[in-house]
Amino acid sequence: MAKELKFVMLLDCYGDLLTEHQKNIMELYYCEDLSLAEIGNPLGITRQAVRDIIKRTENILLNYEEKLRFAERLEKMRECFGKILETAGHIENENLKNIIINEVNTGIDLL
């Protein structure tokens, strides 16, 4: 998994455990793809301060994932749902196929 995607996923899983400041900076950097200067200028902090916050917050997110493994399990669940949908596509009974697809989609939405 690409580093950027990994941190977007970790931010999605554990973002609410961060301070608003940490979460805001991480979202601007990873989700909005802003540069360090673009993040720091409106906040009145230096590029180096933004970088330090990002690095510290990355370590916090990695520590959460190391202990909880929520993002890893979430990804495995998505893979399982994908395999079930693929397999359901081969079912000839349209009613049964639609029931399975609807239930899997409900499960995916809950993730």
Side-chain angles (χ1 to χ4, degrees):
M1 173 181 327
K3 182 176 182 178
E4 291 80 20
L5 181 57
K6 179 177 184 172
F7 283 110
V8 169
M9 190 171 188
L10 292 176
L11 188 58
D12 199 33
C13 291
Y14 306 115
D16 290 339
L17 301 174
L18 302 172
T19 67
E20 276 303 310
H21 188 63
Q22 290 169 325
K23 184 178 178 180
N24 183 42
I25 287 175
M26 294 297 281
E27 286 177 346
L28 292 172
Y29 186 72
Y30 282 108
C31 302
E32 301 296 324
D33 198 29
L34 297 182
S35 71
L36 299 177
E38 290 171 318
I39 296 167
N41 286 339
L43 298 174
I45 59 177
T46 65
R47 293 174 63 246
Q48 185 62 43
V50 173
R51 184 186 177 287
D52 291 345
I53 291 167
I54 290 169
K55 292 302 173 191
R56 279 195 312 270
T57 306
E58 285 175 348
N59 286 332
I60 290 168
L61 292 171
L62 290 170
N63 190 30
Y64 286 149
E65 179 60 11
E66 182 181 318
K67 290 180 178 160
L68 301 173
R69 296 281 183 221
F70 183 69
E72 179 184 320
R73 290 184 298 210
L74 194 60
E75 185 59 29
K76 287 181 181 178
M77 288 171 64
R78 285 188 176 122
E79 288 174 15
C80 287
F81 279 136
K83 289 176 185 176
I84 293 169
L85 283 175
E86 183 180 325
T87 302
H90 301 292
I91 296 174
E92 292 182 21
N93 181 321
E94 287 298 317
N95 188 40
L96 179 60
K97 181 191 325 187
N98 289 334
I99 290 170
I100 292 170
I101 290 171
N102 287 335
E103 290 301 316
V104 168
N105 287 330
T106 298
I108 291 170
D109 289 343
L110 291 172
L111 295 178

